[in-house]
Amino acid sequence: MTGRATSNAAAILVLAMLLVLACLSLVTSQHRARGLFVEYGRLQLQAKDLEADGNRLRIELGKAAQPSAVTGAARNLGLRPTESRQTVFLPEAAAPVDLAAAAARGAAQ
């Protein structure tokens, strides 16, 4: 009977150790899940901020692409509009140039 009692005590001890390990594992996983949930919330706020920044940049780009904004920026850089005497018109036959064909001819020579 002593052998059986020792065997039962050993089994109970093993089961108690397994129960403690399971409890520790549960606590660890819950802690990790809470940490991930907090990080998820932080990342959602960051995504909203980035979305707002993207919208703001799209609006700024739209404003900057307006002809008046381009003209103003050019004047700030010291540029001025061209005069008609500075404009050179090319004949219609000379205007279209096939750059790929010209490069191929240049490479063949």
Side-chain angles (χ1 to χ4, degrees):
M1 194 87 151
T2 308
R4 187 175 228 192
T6 305
S7 173
N8 285 343
I12 290 174
L13 182 62
V14 168
L15 290 174
M17 289 174 58
L18 288 175
L19 180 63
V20 168
L21 288 175
C23 290
L24 288 175
S25 175
L26 176 66
V27 169
T28 302
S29 66
Q30 284 180 342
H31 177 70
R32 197 174 295 157
R34 285 186 185 118
L36 290 173
F37 184 74
V38 168
E39 185 178 358
Y40 175 71
R42 184 181 55 78
L43 290 174
Q44 279 185 327
L45 289 175
Q46 184 181 7
K48 286 180 184 178
D49 290 344
L50 290 173
E51 177 98 22
D53 285 346
N55 290 336
R56 182 185 52 80
L57 290 173
R58 279 195 239 10
I59 291 170
E60 284 181 22
L61 182 62
K63 288 179 182 177
Q66 296 294 322
S68 60
V70 173
T71 304
R75 284 196 183 116
N76 289 340
L77 292 172
L79 302 176
R80 61 184 193 286
T82 60
E83 298 174 6
S84 60
R85 63 183 167 90
Q86 295 173 317
T87 305
V88 176
F89 292 98
L90 299 175
E92 196 171 314
V97 175
D98 186 4
L99 295 177
R105 280 193 304 262
Q109 294 176 355

Coordinates of all heavy atoms in Angstrom, one line a residue:
M1 N 0.8 -1.2 0.0 CA 0.0 0.0 0.0 C 0.9 1.2 0.0 O 0.5 2.3 -0.6 CB -0.9 -0.1 1.3 CG -2.0 0.9 1.2 SD -3.3 0.1 0.4 CE -4.6 0.9 1.2
T2 N 2.0 1.2 0.6 CA 2.9 2.3 0.6 C 3.4 2.6 -0.8 O 3.6 3.8 -1.1 CB 4.1 2.0 1.5 OG1 3.6 1.5 2.8 CG2 5.0 3.2 1.7
G3 N 3.6 1.6 -1.6 CA 4.0 1.8 -3.0 C 3.0 2.6 -3.7 O 3.3 3.4 -4.6
R4 N 1.7 2.2 -3.5 CA 0.6 2.8 -4.2 C 0.4 4.2 -3.7 O 0.2 5.1 -4.5 CB -0.6 2.0 -3.9 CG -1.8 2.4 -4.7 CD -2.9 1.5 -4.5 NE -3.5 1.1 -5.8 CZ -4.6 0.5 -6.0 NH1 -5.3 0.2 -4.9 NH2 -5.1 0.3 -7.2
A5 N 0.6 4.5 -2.4 CA 0.5 5.9 -1.9 C 1.6 6.8 -2.4 O 1.3 7.9 -2.8 CB 0.5 5.8 -0.4
T6 N 2.8 6.2 -2.6 CA 3.9 7.0 -3.1 C 3.6 7.3 -4.6 O 3.9 8.4 -5.1 CB 5.2 6.2 -3.0 OG1 5.4 5.8 -1.6 CG2 6.4 7.0 -3.4
S7 N 3.1 6.3 -5.3 CA 2.7 6.5 -6.7 C 1.7 7.5 -6.9 O 1.8 8.4 -7.8 CB 2.3 5.1 -7.3 OG 1.8 5.3 -8.6
N8 N 0.6 7.5 -6.0 CA -0.4 8.5 -6.1 C 0.1 9.9 -5.7 O -0.3 10.9 -6.3 CB -1.6 8.1 -5.1 CG -2.4 7.0 -5.7 OD1 -2.4 6.7 -6.9 ND2 -3.2 6.4 -4.8
A9 N 1.0 10.0 -4.7 CA 1.5 11.3 -4.3 C 2.4 11.8 -5.4 O 2.4 13.0 -5.7 CB 2.4 11.1 -3.0
A10 N 3.1 11.0 -6.1 CA 4.0 11.4 -7.2 C 3.1 11.9 -8.4 O 3.4 13.0 -9.0 CB 4.9 10.3 -7.7
A11 N 2.0 11.2 -8.6 CA 1.1 11.6 -9.7 C 0.4 12.9 -9.4 O 0.3 13.8 -10.2 CB 0.0 10.5 -9.9
I12 N 0.0 13.1 -8.1 CA -0.6 14.4 -7.7 C 0.4 15.5 -7.8 O 0.1 16.6 -8.2 CB -1.1 14.2 -6.2 CG1 -2.4 13.3 -6.3 CG2 -1.5 15.6 -5.6 CD1 -2.9 13.0 -4.9
L13 N 1.7 15.2 -7.4 CA 2.7 16.3 -7.5 C 3.0 16.7 -8.9 O 3.1 17.9 -9.3 CB 4.0 15.7 -6.9 CG 5.2 16.7 -6.8 CD1 4.8 17.9 -6.0 CD2 6.4 16.0 -6.3
V14 N 3.0 15.7 -9.8 CA 3.2 16.0 -11.3 C 2.0 16.8 -11.8 O 2.2 17.8 -12.5 CB 3.4 14.7 -12.1 CG1 3.3 14.9 -13.6 CG2 4.7 14.0 -11.7
L15 N 0.8 16.4 -11.4 CA -0.4 17.1 -11.9 C -0.4 18.5 -11.3 O -0.8 19.5 -12.0 CB -1.7 16.3 -11.5 CG -1.9 15.0 -12.3 CD1 -3.1 14.3 -11.7 CD2 -2.1 15.3 -13.7
A16 N 0.0 18.7 -10.1 CA 0.0 20.0 -9.5 C 1.1 20.9 -10.2 O 0.8 22.1 -10.5 CB 0.4 19.9 -8.0
M17 N 2.2 20.3 -10.6 CA 3.2 21.1 -11.3 C 2.7 21.5 -12.7 O 2.9 22.6 -13.2 CB 4.5 20.3 -11.4 CG 5.2 20.2 -10.1 SD 6.7 19.1 -10.1 CE 7.7 19.8 -11.4
L18 N 2.0 20.6 -13.3 CA 1.4 20.9 -14.6 C 0.3 22.0 -14.5 O 0.2 22.8 -15.4 CB 0.8 19.6 -15.3 CG 1.8 18.6 -15.8 CD1 1.1 17.3 -16.2 CD2 2.7 19.2 -16.9
L19 N -0.4 21.9 -13.4 CA -1.5 22.9 -13.2 C -0.8 24.3 -13.0 O -1.3 25.3 -13.6 CB -2.3 22.6 -12.0 CG -3.4 23.6 -11.7 CD1 -4.4 23.7 -12.8 CD2 -4.1 23.2 -10.4
V20 N 0.3 24.4 -12.2 CA 1.0 25.6 -12.0 C 1.6 26.2 -13.3 O 1.5 27.3 -13.7 CB 2.1 25.5 -10.9 CG1 3.0 26.7 -10.9 CG2 1.5 25.2 -9.6
L21 N 2.1 25.3 -14.1 CA 2.7 25.7 -15.4 C 1.6 26.2 -16.4 O 1.8 27.2 -17.1 CB 3.4 24.5 -16.1 CG 4.8 24.2 -15.4 CD1 5.4 22.9 -16.1 CD2 5.8 25.3 -15.5
A22 N 0.4 25.5 -16.3 CA -0.7 26.0 -17.2 C -1.2 27.4 -16.7 O -1.5 28.2 -17.6 CB -1.8 25.0 -17.1
C23 N -1.2 27.6 -15.5 CA -1.6 28.9 -14.9 C -0.6 30.0 -15.3 O -1.0 31.1 -15.7 CB -1.8 28.8 -13.4 SG -3.2 27.9 -12.9
L24 N 0.6 29.7 -15.2 CA 1.7 30.7 -15.6 C 1.6 31.0 -17.1 O 1.7 32.1 -17.5 CB 3.0 30.2 -15.2 CG 3.4 30.2 -13.7 CD1 4.7 29.5 -13.5 CD2 3.4 31.6 -13.2
S25 N 1.3 29.9 -17.9 CA 1.2 30.1 -19.3 C 0.0 31.0 -19.6 O 0.1 31.9 -20.5 CB 1.1 28.8 -20.0 OG 0.8 28.9 -21.4
L26 N -1.1 30.8 -18.9 CA -2.3 31.6 -19.2 C -2.1 33.0 -18.8 O -2.4 33.9 -19.6 CB -3.5 31.0 -18.3 CG -4.8 31.8 -18.4 CD1 -5.4 31.8 -19.8 CD2 -5.7 31.3 -17.3
V27 N -1.4 33.3 -17.7 CA -1.1 34.7 -17.3 C -0.2 35.3 -18.3 O -0.4 36.5 -18.7 CB -0.5 34.7 -15.9 CG1 0.1 36.1 -15.5 CG2 -1.5 34.3 -14.8
T28 N 0.8 34.6 -18.8 CA 1.7 35.2 -19.7 C 1.0 35.5 -21.0 O 1.2 36.6 -21.6 CB 2.9 34.2 -20.0 OG1 3.5 33.9 -18.8 CG2 3.9 34.7 -21.0
S29 N 0.2 34.6 -21.5 CA -0.5 34.9 -22.8 C -1.5 36.0 -22.6 O -1.6 36.8 -23.6 CB -1.2 33.6 -23.2 OG -2.3 33.3 -22.4
Q30 N -2.2 36.2 -21.5 CA -3.1 37.3 -21.3 C -2.3 38.6 -21.2 O -2.7 39.6 -21.8 CB -3.9 37.1 -20.0 CG -5.0 36.1 -20.1 CD -5.7 36.0 -18.8 OE1 -5.3 36.3 -17.7 NE2 -6.9 35.4 -18.9
H31 N -1.1 38.6 -20.6 CA -0.3 39.8 -20.6 C 0.2 40.2 -22.0 O 0.1 41.4 -22.4 CB 0.9 39.6 -19.7 CG 1.9 40.7 -19.6 ND1 1.5 41.9 -19.0 CD2 3.1 40.8 -20.1 CE1 2.5 42.7 -19.1 NE2 3.5 42.1 -19.7
R32 N 0.6 39.2 -22.7 CA 1.0 39.4 -24.1 C -0.2 40.0 -25.0 O 0.0 40.9 -25.8 CB 1.6 38.1 -24.7 CG 2.4 38.4 -26.0 CD 3.0 37.1 -26.4 NE 4.0 36.6 -25.5 CZ 4.4 35.4 -25.4 NH1 3.9 34.5 -26.2 NH2 5.3 35.0 -24.5
A33 N -1.4 39.4 -24.8 CA -2.5 39.9 -25.5 C -2.9 41.3 -25.2 O -3.2 42.1 -26.1 CB -3.7 38.9 -25.2
R34 N -2.8 41.7 -23.9 CA -3.1 43.1 -23.5 C -2.1 44.0 -24.1 O -2.4 45.1 -24.6 CB -3.0 43.2 -22.0 CG -4.3 42.6 -21.3 CD -4.3 42.9 -19.8 NE -5.4 42.2 -19.2 CZ -5.3 41.3 -18.3 NH1 -4.1 41.0 -17.8 NH2 -6.4 40.8 -17.8
G35 N -0.8 43.6 -24.1 CA 0.2 44.4 -24.7 C 0.0 44.6 -26.2 O 0.2 45.7 -26.8
L36 N -0.4 43.5 -26.9 CA -0.7 43.6 -28.3 C -1.9 44.5 -28.6 O -1.9 45.2 -29.6 CB -0.9 42.2 -28.9 CG 0.4 41.4 -29.0 CD1 0.0 40.0 -29.5 CD2 1.4 42.0 -30.0
F37 N -2.9 44.4 -27.7 CA -4.1 45.3 -27.9 C -3.7 46.7 -27.8 O -4.2 47.6 -28.5 CB -5.2 44.9 -26.9 CG -6.4 45.6 -27.1 CD1 -7.3 45.3 -28.1 CD2 -6.8 46.6 -26.2 CE1 -8.5 46.0 -28.3 CE2 -8.0 47.3 -26.3 CZ -8.8 47.0 -27.4
V38 N -2.9 47.1 -26.8 CA -2.5 48.5 -26.6 C -1.7 48.9 -27.8 O -1.9 50.0 -28.4 CB -1.6 48.6 -25.3 CG1 -0.9 49.9 -25.3 CG2 -2.5 48.4 -24.1
E39 N -0.8 48.1 -28.3 CA 0.0 48.4 -29.5 C -1.0 48.6 -30.8 O -0.8 49.5 -31.6 CB 1.0 47.4 -29.8 CG 1.9 47.7 -31.0 CD 3.0 46.7 -31.2 OE1 3.1 45.7 -30.5 OE2 3.7 46.8 -32.2
Y40 N -2.0 47.8 -30.9 CA -2.9 47.9 -31.9 C -3.6 49.2 -31.9 O -3.8 49.9 -32.9 CB -3.9 46.7 -31.8 CG -5.1 46.8 -32.8 CD1 -4.8 46.6 -34.2 CD2 -6.4 47.1 -32.4 CE1 -5.9 46.6 -35.1 CE2 -7.4 47.2 -33.3 CZ -7.1 46.9 -34.7 OH -8.2 47.0 -35.6
G41 N -4.1 49.7 -30.7 CA -4.7 51.0 -30.6 C -3.8 52.1 -30.9 O -4.2 53.1 -31.6
R42 N -2.5 52.0 -30.5 CA -1.5 53.0 -30.9 C -1.3 53.1 -32.4 O -1.2 54.1 -33.0 CB -0.2 52.7 -30.2 CG 0.9 53.8 -30.4 CD 2.2 53.4 -29.6 NE 2.7 52.1 -30.0 CZ 3.4 51.8 -31.1 NH1 3.6 52.8 -32.0 NH2 3.8 50.6 -31.4
L43 N -1.2 51.9 -33.0 CA -1.0 51.9 -34.5 C -2.3 52.4 -35.2 O -2.1 53.0 -36.3 CB -0.7 50.4 -34.9 CG 0.7 49.9 -34.5 CD1 0.8 48.5 -34.9 CD2 1.8 50.8 -35.1
Q44 N -3.5 52.2 -34.7 CA -4.6 52.8 -35.3 C -4.6 54.3 -35.3 O -4.9 55.0 -36.2 CB -5.9 52.3 -34.6 CG -6.3 50.9 -35.0 CD -7.7 50.5 -34.4 OE1 -8.0 50.9 -33.3 NE2 -8.5 49.8 -35.1
L45 N -4.2 54.9 -34.1 CA -4.0 56.3 -34.0 C -3.0 56.8 -35.0 O -3.2 57.9 -35.7 CB -3.7 56.7 -32.6 CG -4.8 56.5 -31.6 CD1 -4.2 56.9 -30.2 CD2 -5.9 57.4 -31.9
Q46 N -1.9 56.1 -35.1 CA -0.8 56.5 -36.1 C -1.4 56.4 -37.5 O -1.0 57.3 -38.3 CB 0.4 55.6 -35.9 CG 1.6 56.0 -36.7 CD 2.7 55.0 -36.6 OE1 2.6 54.0 -35.9 NE2 3.8 55.4 -37.1
A47 N -2.2 55.4 -37.8 CA -2.7 55.3 -39.2 C -3.7 56.5 -39.4 O -3.7 57.1 -40.6 CB -3.5 54.0 -39.3
K48 N -4.5 56.9 -38.5 CA -5.3 58.1 -38.6 C -4.5 59.3 -38.9 O -4.9 60.2 -39.7 CB -6.2 58.3 -37.4 CG -7.4 57.3 -37.4 CD -8.2 57.5 -36.1 CE -9.3 56.4 -36.0 NZ -10.1 56.6 -34.8
D49 N -3.4 59.5 -38.1 CA -2.6 60.7 -38.3 C -1.9 60.7 -39.7 O -1.9 61.7 -40.3 CB -1.4 60.7 -37.2 CG -2.0 61.0 -35.8 OD1 -3.1 61.5 -35.7 OD2 -1.2 60.7 -34.9
L50 N -1.5 59.5 -40.1 CA -0.9 59.4 -41.5 C -1.9 59.7 -42.6 O -1.6 60.3 -43.6 CB -0.2 58.0 -41.7 CG 1.0 57.8 -40.9 CD1 1.5 56.3 -41.0 CD2 2.1 58.7 -41.2
E51 N -3.1 59.3 -42.3 CA -4.2 59.5 -43.3 C -4.5 61.0 -43.4 O -4.6 61.6 -44.5 CB -5.5 58.8 -42.9 CG -6.7 59.1 -43.8 CD -6.9 58.0 -44.8 OE1 -6.4 56.9 -44.6 OE2 -7.5 58.3 -45.8
A52 N -4.5 61.7 -42.2 CA -4.7 63.1 -42.2 C -3.6 63.9 -42.9 O -3.8 64.8 -43.6 CB -4.9 63.6 -40.8
D53 N -2.3 63.4 -42.6 CA -1.2 64.0 -43.3 C -1.2 63.8 -44.8 O -0.9 64.7 -45.6 CB 0.1 63.4 -42.8 CG 0.5 63.9 -41.4 OD1 -0.1 64.9 -40.9 OD2 1.4 63.3 -40.8
G54 N -1.6 62.6 -45.3 CA -1.8 62.4 -46.7 C -2.8 63.3 -47.3 O -2.6 63.8 -48.4
N55 N -4.0 63.5 -46.6 CA -5.0 64.4 -47.2 C -4.5 65.8 -47.2 O -4.7 66.5 -48.2 CB -6.3 64.3 -46.3 CG -7.0 63.0 -46.4 OD1 -6.8 62.3 -47.5 ND2 -7.7 62.6 -45.4
R56 N -3.8 66.2 -46.2 CA -3.2 67.6 -46.2 C -2.2 67.8 -47.3 O -2.3 68.8 -48.0 CB -2.5 67.9 -44.8 CG -2.0 69.3 -44.7 CD -1.2 69.4 -43.4 NE -0.2 68.4 -43.2 CZ 1.0 68.4 -43.7 NH1 1.4 69.4 -44.6 NH2 1.9 67.5 -43.4
L57 N -1.4 66.8 -47.5 CA -0.4 66.9 -48.6 C -1.1 66.9 -50.0 O -0.6 67.6 -50.9 CB 0.6 65.7 -48.5 CG 1.6 65.8 -47.4 CD1 2.4 64.5 -47.3 CD2 2.5 67.0 -47.5
R58 N -2.2 66.1 -50.2 CA -2.9 66.1 -51.4 C -3.5 67.5 -51.7 O -3.4 68.0 -52.8 CB -4.0 65.1 -51.4 CG -3.5 63.7 -51.7 CD -4.7 62.8 -52.1 NE -5.0 61.6 -51.4 CZ -4.6 61.1 -50.2 NH1 -3.7 61.8 -49.6 NH2 -5.0 60.0 -49.7
I59 N -4.0 68.2 -50.6 CA -4.5 69.5 -50.8 C -3.4 70.5 -51.1 O -3.6 71.3 -52.0 CB -5.3 69.9 -49.5 CG1 -6.6 69.1 -49.3 CG2 -5.6 71.4 -49.5 CD1 -7.2 69.3 -48.0
E60 N -2.3 70.4 -50.4 CA -1.2 71.3 -50.7 C -0.7 71.1 -52.2 O -0.3 72.0 -52.8 CB 0.0 71.0 -49.8 CG -0.2 71.6 -48.4 CD 1.0 71.3 -47.5 OE1 2.1 71.1 -48.0 OE2 0.7 71.4 -46.2
L61 N -0.6 69.8 -52.6 CA -0.2 69.5 -54.0 C -1.1 70.1 -55.0 O -0.7 70.7 -56.0 CB -0.1 68.0 -54.2 CG 0.4 67.6 -55.6 CD1 1.8 68.1 -55.8 CD2 0.4 66.1 -55.6
G62 N -2.4 70.1 -54.7 CA -3.4 70.7 -55.6 C -3.3 72.2 -55.7 O -3.4 72.8 -56.8
K63 N -3.0 72.8 -54.5 CA -2.8 74.2 -54.5 C -1.5 74.6 -55.2 O -1.4 75.6 -56.0 CB -2.7 74.8 -53.1 CG -4.1 74.8 -52.4 CD -3.9 75.3 -51.0 CE -5.3 75.2 -50.2 NZ -5.1 75.6 -48.8
A64 N -0.4 73.8 -55.0 CA 0.9 74.1 -55.6 C 0.8 74.0 -57.1 O 1.6 74.6 -57.9 CB 1.9 73.3 -55.0
A65 N -0.1 73.1 -57.6 CA -0.1 72.9 -59.1 C -0.9 73.9 -59.8 O -0.9 73.9 -61.1 CB -0.7 71.5 -59.3
Q66 N -1.6 74.8 -59.1 CA -2.3 75.9 -59.8 C -1.4 76.8 -60.5 O -0.3 77.1 -60.0 CB -3.1 76.7 -58.7 CG -4.2 75.9 -58.0 CD -5.3 75.5 -58.9 OE1 -5.7 76.2 -59.8 NE2 -5.8 74.3 -58.7
P67 N -1.7 77.3 -61.7 CA -0.8 78.2 -62.5 C -0.4 79.4 -61.7 O 0.7 79.8 -61.8 CB -1.7 78.5 -63.7 CG -2.7 77.4 -63.8 CD -3.0 76.9 -62.4
S68 N -1.3 80.0 -60.9 CA -0.9 81.2 -60.1 C 0.2 80.9 -59.1 O 1.1 81.7 -58.9 CB -2.1 81.8 -59.5 OG -2.7 80.9 -58.6
A69 N 0.1 79.7 -58.5 CA 1.1 79.3 -57.5 C 2.5 79.1 -58.2 O 3.5 79.4 -57.7 CB 0.7 78.1 -56.7
V70 N 2.4 78.4 -59.4 CA 3.7 78.2 -60.1 C 4.3 79.5 -60.5 O 5.5 79.7 -60.4 CB 3.4 77.3 -61.3 CG1 4.6 77.1 -62.2 CG2 2.9 75.9 -60.9
T71 N 3.5 80.4 -61.0 CA 4.0 81.7 -61.5 C 4.6 82.5 -60.3 O 5.7 83.0 -60.4 CB 2.9 82.5 -62.1 OG1 2.3 81.8 -63.2 CG2 3.4 83.8 -62.6
G72 N 3.9 82.4 -59.2 CA 4.4 83.1 -58.0 C 5.7 82.5 -57.5 O 6.7 83.2 -57.1
A73 N 5.8 81.2 -57.5 CA 7.1 80.5 -57.1 C 8.2 80.9 -58.0 O 9.4 81.1 -57.6 CB 6.9 79.0 -57.0
A74 N 7.9 80.9 -59.3 CA 8.9 81.3 -60.3 C 9.4 82.7 -60.1 O 10.6 83.0 -60.2 CB 8.4 81.1 -61.7
R75 N 8.5 83.6 -59.8 CA 8.9 85.0 -59.6 C 9.8 85.1 -58.3 O 10.7 85.9 -58.3 CB 7.7 85.9 -59.4 CG 7.1 86.2 -60.8 CD 6.1 87.4 -60.7 NE 5.5 87.5 -62.0 CZ 4.2 87.4 -62.2 NH1 3.4 87.1 -61.3 NH2 3.7 87.6 -63.5
N76 N 9.4 84.3 -57.3 CA 10.3 84.3 -56.1 C 11.7 83.8 -56.3 O 12.6 84.2 -55.6 CB 9.6 83.5 -55.0 CG 8.4 84.1 -54.4 OD1 8.2 85.3 -54.5 ND2 7.5 83.3 -53.8
L77 N 11.8 82.9 -57.3 CA 13.1 82.4 -57.7 C 13.9 83.4 -58.6 O 15.0 83.1 -59.0 CB 13.0 81.0 -58.3 CG 12.5 79.9 -57.4 CD1 12.3 78.7 -58.2 CD2 13.6 79.7 -56.3
G78 N 13.2 84.4 -59.0 CA 13.9 85.4 -59.9 C 13.7 85.1 -61.4 O 14.3 85.7 -62.3
L79 N 12.8 84.2 -61.7 CA 12.5 83.9 -63.1 C 11.4 84.8 -63.6 O 10.6 85.4 -62.9 CB 11.9 82.4 -63.2 CG 12.9 81.3 -62.7 CD1 12.2 80.0 -62.7 CD2 14.2 81.3 -63.5
R80 N 11.4 85.0 -64.9 CA 10.4 85.9 -65.5 C 9.9 85.3 -66.8 O 10.5 84.4 -67.4 CB 11.1 87.3 -65.9 CG 12.2 87.2 -66.8 CD 12.8 88.6 -67.0 NE 13.7 88.7 -68.2 CZ 14.9 88.1 -68.3 NH1 15.4 87.5 -67.2 NH2 15.6 88.2 -69.3
P81 N 8.7 85.7 -67.2 CA 8.1 85.1 -68.4 C 8.9 85.4 -69.6 O 9.6 86.4 -69.7 CB 6.7 85.8 -68.5 CG 6.5 86.4 -67.2 CD 7.8 86.7 -66.6
T82 N 8.8 84.4 -70.6 CA 9.6 84.6 -71.8 C 8.8 85.7 -72.7 O 7.6 85.9 -72.6 CB 9.7 83.3 -72.6 OG1 8.3 82.9 -72.9 CG2 10.4 82.3 -71.8
E83 N 9.6 86.3 -73.5 CA 9.0 87.3 -74.4 C 8.9 86.6 -75.8 O 9.6 85.6 -76.1 CB 10.0 88.5 -74.5 CG 10.1 89.2 -73.2 CD 11.2 90.3 -73.2 OE1 11.7 90.6 -74.3 OE2 11.4 90.9 -72.2
S84 N 8.0 87.2 -76.6 CA 7.8 86.5 -77.9 C 9.0 86.5 -78.8 O 9.2 85.6 -79.6 CB 6.6 87.2 -78.6 OG 7.0 88.6 -78.9
R85 N 9.9 87.4 -78.6 CA 11.1 87.4 -79.4 C 12.1 86.3 -79.0 O 13.0 85.9 -79.7 CB 11.8 88.8 -79.4 CG 12.3 89.2 -78.1 CD 12.9 90.6 -78.2 NE 13.1 91.2 -76.9 CZ 14.2 91.1 -76.2 NH1 15.2 90.4 -76.7 NH2 14.3 91.6 -75.0
Q86 N 11.9 85.8 -77.8 CA 12.8 84.7 -77.3 C 12.2 83.3 -77.7 O 12.9 82.3 -77.5 CB 12.8 84.7 -75.8 CG 13.5 86.0 -75.2 CD 13.4 86.0 -73.7 OE1 12.4 85.7 -73.2 NE2 14.5 86.4 -73.1
T87 N 11.0 83.3 -78.2 CA 10.4 82.0 -78.6 C 10.9 81.6 -80.0 O 10.9 82.4 -80.9 CB 8.9 82.1 -78.6 OG1 8.5 82.6 -77.3 CG2 8.2 80.8 -78.9
V88 N 11.3 80.3 -80.1 CA 11.7 79.8 -81.4 C 10.7 78.7 -81.8 O 10.5 77.7 -81.0 CB 13.2 79.2 -81.3 CG1 13.6 78.5 -82.6 CG2 14.1 80.2 -80.8
F89 N 10.2 78.8 -83.0 CA 9.3 77.8 -83.5 C 10.0 76.9 -84.4 O 10.7 77.3 -85.3 CB 8.1 78.4 -84.2 CG 7.2 79.2 -83.2 CD1 7.3 80.6 -83.1 CD2 6.2 78.5 -82.5 CE1 6.5 81.3 -82.2 CE2 5.4 79.2 -81.6 CZ 5.5 80.6 -81.5
L90 N 9.9 75.6 -84.2 CA 10.5 74.6 -85.1 C 9.5 74.2 -86.2 O 8.3 74.2 -86.0 CB 10.9 73.3 -84.3 CG 11.9 73.5 -83.2 CD1 12.1 72.2 -82.4 CD2 13.2 74.0 -83.7
P91 N 10.1 73.9 -87.4 CA 9.2 73.4 -88.5 C 8.5 72.1 -88.0 O 9.1 71.4 -87.2 CB 10.1 73.2 -89.6 CG 11.5 73.7 -89.2 CD 11.5 74.0 -87.8
E92 N 7.4 71.9 -88.6 CA 6.6 70.7 -88.2 C 7.3 69.4 -88.4 O 7.2 68.5 -87.7 CB 5.3 70.7 -89.0 CG 4.3 69.8 -88.3 CD 2.9 70.0 -88.9 OE1 2.5 71.1 -89.1 OE2 2.3 69.0 -89.3
A93 N 8.1 69.3 -89.5 CA 8.8 68.1 -89.8 C 9.9 67.8 -88.8 O 10.3 66.7 -88.5 CB 9.4 68.1 -91.2
A94 N 10.5 68.9 -88.2 CA 11.6 68.7 -87.3 C 11.1 68.4 -85.9 O 11.9 68.0 -85.0 CB 12.5 69.9 -87.3
A95 N 9.9 68.7 -85.6 CA 9.4 68.6 -84.2 C 9.4 67.2 -83.6 O 10.0 66.9 -82.6 CB 8.0 69.2 -84.1
P96 N 8.8 66.2 -84.3 CA 8.8 64.8 -83.7 C 10.1 64.1 -83.9 O 10.6 64.0 -85.0 CB 7.7 64.1 -84.4 CG 7.4 64.9 -85.7 CD 7.9 66.2 -85.5
V97 N 10.7 63.7 -82.8 CA 12.0 63.0 -82.9 C 11.8 61.7 -82.2 O 11.3 61.6 -81.0 CB 13.1 63.8 -82.2 CG1 14.4 63.1 -82.1 CG2 13.3 65.1 -82.9
D98 N 12.2 60.6 -82.8 CA 12.2 59.3 -82.2 C 13.5 59.1 -81.5 O 14.5 58.8 -82.1 CB 12.0 58.2 -83.3 CG 11.8 56.8 -82.6 OD1 11.7 56.7 -81.4 OD2 11.7 55.9 -83.4
L99 N 13.6 59.3 -80.2 CA 14.8 59.3 -79.4 C 15.4 57.9 -79.4 O 16.6 57.7 -79.4 CB 14.6 59.8 -78.0 CG 14.2 61.2 -77.9 CD1 13.9 61.6 -76.4 CD2 15.2 62.1 -78.5
A100 N 14.5 56.8 -79.3 CA 15.0 55.5 -79.3 C 15.7 55.1 -80.6 O 16.8 54.5 -80.6 CB 13.9 54.5 -79.1
A101 N 15.2 55.5 -81.7 CA 15.8 55.3 -83.0 C 17.1 56.1 -83.1 O 18.1 55.5 -83.7 CB 14.9 55.6 -84.2
A102 N 17.1 57.3 -82.7 CA 18.4 58.1 -82.7 C 19.4 57.5 -81.9 O 20.6 57.5 -82.2 CB 18.1 59.5 -82.3
A103 N 19.1 57.0 -80.7 CA 20.1 56.4 -79.8 C 20.6 55.1 -80.4 O 21.8 54.8 -80.3 CB 19.4 56.1 -78.5
A104 N 19.8 54.3 -81.1 CA 20.2 53.1 -81.8 C 21.1 53.4 -82.9 O 22.1 52.7 -83.1 CB 19.0 52.3 -82.3
R105 N 20.9 54.5 -83.7 CA 21.8 54.8 -84.7 C 23.1 55.3 -84.2 O 24.1 55.0 -84.7 CB 21.1 56.0 -85.6 CG 20.1 55.5 -86.6 CD 19.7 56.6 -87.6 NE 19.3 57.8 -86.9 CZ 18.0 58.1 -86.7 NH1 17.1 57.3 -87.1 NH2 17.7 59.2 -86.1
G106 N 23.1 56.0 -83.1 CA 24.3 56.5 -82.5 C 25.1 55.4 -81.9 O 26.3 55.4 -82.0
A107 N 24.5 54.4 -81.4 CA 25.2 53.2 -80.8 C 25.8 52.3 -81.9 O 26.8 51.7 -81.7 CB 24.3 52.4 -79.9
A108 N 25.1 52.3 -83.1 CA 25.6 51.5 -84.2 C 26.8 52.0 -84.8 O 27.6 51.3 -85.4 CB 24.5 51.3 -85.2
Q109 N 27.0 53.3 -84.7 CA 28.1 54.0 -85.4 C 29.4 53.8 -84.6 O 29.9 53.6 -83.9 CB 27.9 55.5 -85.6 CG 26.8 55.7 -86.6 CD 26.4 57.2 -86.7 OE1 26.9 58.0 -86.0 NE2 25.6 57.5 -87.6

